[in-house]
Amino acid sequence: MAALSLLNWRRVLSFSGPVPRSRHGHRAVAIRELMIIFGGGNEGIADELHVYNTATNQWFLPAVRGDIPPGCAAHGFVCDGTRILVFGGMVEYGRYNNELYELQASRWLWKKLKPRPPSTGSPPCPRLGHSFTFHGNKCYLFGGLANESEDSNNNVPRYLNDFYELELRPGSGVVGWNIPATKGPLPSPRESHTSVVYCRKDSGKPKLYIFGGMCGCRLGDFWELDIESMSWSRPEPEGISPLPRSLHTANVIGNKMYVLGGWIPQALASMESSAHDNEWKCTGSFSYLNLDTMEWISLSPESQDDKKNSMPRPRAGHCAVAIGTRLYIWSGRDGYRKAWNSQVCCKDLWYLDTEKPPAPSQVQLVRATTHAFHVKWEEVPTVEGYLLQLSLDLPSPTLPAAQTPVASEKPSPSSQENVTPVALLSAKQLQSLQESGVLTQNMHVNVFLPPGIRLDLQGQTNSNAVHTVQVPASTNSLIQNTTETQPSDMKVITAEKQSDMGGFSESNAVFHSPSVFHLKTLDPKISTNLGELHDLNPQTVIPEASASCTVHSTQAMSTVTKTDSQWYDVGIFQDNNTVVTQFYLLPEERHNLSNKEENTDIPDNSLLMKQDLMPGSVYRFRVAAINGCGVGPFSKVSEFKTCIPGFPGAPSAVKIIKNLDSIRLSWEPPSSPSGIILEYSVYLAIRTTQLPEENPNQLTFMKIYCGLRTFCTVSTAQLASAYVDCTSKPAVVFRISAKNEKGYGPATQVRWLQDSNKNRKEGKHTE
């Protein structure tokens, strides 16, 4: 059971724009991040349409046009995509209507609709307090309160339990009313009840649920309609049911129906014995019903005197909408007993995050430089920020207990076999370890290269350093015999650089199969820079490919052991994009906390040291969203590499334009070309025999353009072989990279969004 202390209601205190006057009997729906409010009453019926942007905390009055409906209260108000339907309600005291209006919110255009009457029976009579619930292509109308008198000043109430379907046309317009034949007993007549639709997990069938209402007294019964079979039933949920009530709200988030506030009988609230419901009071109680397990859970009690400032005060006739997993409530009327006649409308806006936010999409690279990444990810609705982390996979030294150091210049075959690979390092990270003295004498470093990768050996060293490269015996004529212990089918190239030479004599060696760059350091201050990697196959390339290596040691006191990936906080950001130049170095006591997949504590990095990003280094990124419930799960991991000095930056400002039988890609040159751009290459992610779920981050690319122009055309035939990446929104993936005299720089990745019908949409580059 959720505890009251776990609820983290937050009142919105900072907002802008024209705030609507407080009211009750109004209705609200949500379209993406917008809360749209219409109608209600407080010293007259309100006829304005008000919109609150939950992302910007801004109220505004849209300029509506068309057949603008009169103001109304206690009306039906539902949303289908970007169109809103309004039915019935009270237009003035004692006078109700049964008119139907449609609002196209994309244009703020009102239109009065004239639905066809049912084939049998009469159309719905004028009413208020009914439920009007949308599902599929239909709206379901149940109950309400009608006035039997033709004189609006002489109100003769009649409670209704009639049931109608309203069939909609796709996009705009209606077909007409229908009176479906239902099975089982109907719920009793009522008004000011709630109705929701939910598809249960066990059956997958849509069910309509009705709770509470008013029929001379407050009701607390719960009803279910199977929409497919049109069968009514009355489930008996477990747990403690909320008190009978009316003018409450009910919203479905996930598999839970959240019930808040309303009018409850004074006698039941105070546990008095009374046969009459002639006095009632507002409540602020908050419960939910798990619609899969059919169990009520109470989240806050009826009495909340000690919680006045931490949660909404009691109210009825308010509005509530769900945006993502966040519940918003606004206004409503306060007051305790009808006899007191002291009802006051609330002016406050509150929200509650009902669960942690979902994981964002993978971090995407906009562009990379030598010391920074511009990254982005898809926005998660109704979150307060994002926690971005990176990982370097740096090794951490350990000191084995009760072992004697062993000094040996050359490890024996048995000792080499027993050494465990400990860390994957980029070439630049390897250089940093050498410069800092972490790599000492008698260590062996293996750099593993993917098939078809060329290794450019560049850097500074001295005559005391010996670099050996293992390659198949048939690959290169420079192979020499050696006394080093190697596999029987391998030979060794010894590349020894003289102090007056500008590079290795075997630089630009080409390895066409899995290879090992074996580096034995005899000088702890050696500086070795492994250059950029390039794919040799013109048909398949991963421009972000990078070298990796493992570090071994024959000195027990200097053994380097591999630890789980350590994640470092980059920071907390309100927007879904940022430029990363540094990260925080975490103290040891924070390591376990930071590595959790779900971290409920929002980190405070104000006192931590920062570390700059290094050129030519590989970093892995993940991001998690933050809301009032804490930090949610992290995204899938993305990996990017900073640029190496001298190589060009990534192209930018990518645009995709769809033509009849092709698409046109265009881009801007790198902001830091580091010389003359010799050519651009464009690659398309293509389908392979490997199942994407085996490793969705390993995409296979085909080169589709190479030249000096900053645009290219992709034919329909080429697009037919494209792989549609579904790690976030379905998209075709392109990569574009530039080449100067030193080689290719990092690629800009482009995701061209696809619709559900596989039709091509306008491309969106990761900015």
Side-chain angles (χ1 to χ4, degrees), residues 37 50 81 90 130 171 188 219 229 317 331 415 418 437 464 479 515 530 557 580 596 618 674 724 729 743 751:
I37 297 170
H50 290 268
M90 181 174 68
H130 48 283
S188 60
L219 302 173
S229 65
S331 201
S415 66
N418 294 330
N464 291 328
I479 292 173
S515 313
L530 303 183
M557 293 298 292
V580 180
K596 289 182 179 179
V618 175
S674 299
V724 178
K729 294 182 180 179
R751 289 174 51 82

Side-chain angles (χ1 to χ4, degrees), residues 73-270:
H75 47 288
F77 199 57
V78 297
C79 179
D80 170 25
T82 58
R83 72 169 165 178
I84 297 172
L85 294 171
V86 181
F87 174 75
M90 181 174 68
V91 292
E92 62 181 45
Y93 179 78
R95 188 165 72 87
Y96 315 145
N97 78 28
N98 60 349
E99 295 177 343
L100 180 67
Y101 289 86
E102 174 188 88
L103 172 67
Q104 290 290 341
S106 59
R107 295 175 289 164
W108 302 118
L109 177 64
W110 283 105
K111 181 180 180 181
K112 186 175 182 179
L113 303 178
K114 296 181 179 180
R116 182 198 62 203
S119 57
T120 58
S122 302
C125 65
R127 66 189 67 202
L128 63 71
H130 48 283
S131 60
F132 196 53
T133 313
F134 171 77
H135 176 71
N137 67 331
K138 294 179 180 179
C139 291
Y140 298 93
L141 170 68
F142 177 79
L145 179 68
N147 185 2
E148 290 284 82
S149 172
E150 296 182 359
D151 182 4
S152 60
N153 294 320
N154 182 25
N155 196 359
V156 179
R158 178 169 65 95
Y159 294 97
L160 305 171
N161 69 339
D162 48 358
F163 181 64
Y164 288 87
E165 292 180 333
L166 177 65
E167 185 178 354
L168 309 179
R169 297 188 187 278
S172 179
V174 292
V175 177
W177 293 104
N178 180 40
I179 302 176
T182 60
K183 306 172 186 176
L186 280 170
S188 60
R190 66 193 66 204
E191 56 102 359
S192 298
H193 55 283
T194 55
S195 173
V196 300
V197 171
Y198 175 71
C199 294
R200 292 187 55 169
K201 292 181 180 178
D202 54 0
S203 65
K205 295 182 179 180
K207 305 291 181 68
L208 183 143
Y209 297 101
I210 289 176
F211 174 68
M214 171 71 175
C215 185
C217 62
R218 301 302 183 274
L219 302 173
D221 50 350
F222 179 69
W223 291 83
E224 175 186 286
L225 173 69
D226 186 313
I227 293 178
E228 291 185 357
S229 65
M230 283 293 159
S231 300
W232 286 102
S233 62
R234 187 174 175 181
E236 296 291 340
E238 298 180 356
I240 301 176
S241 175
L243 291 178
R245 64 193 60 213
S246 63
L247 291 172
H248 54 289
T249 54
N251 300 85
V252 174
I253 301 177
N255 65 346
K256 300 177 180 65
M257 180 181 75
Y258 290 88
V259 175
L260 174 68
W263 290 110
I264 60 174
Q266 173 67 24
L268 290 177
S270 59

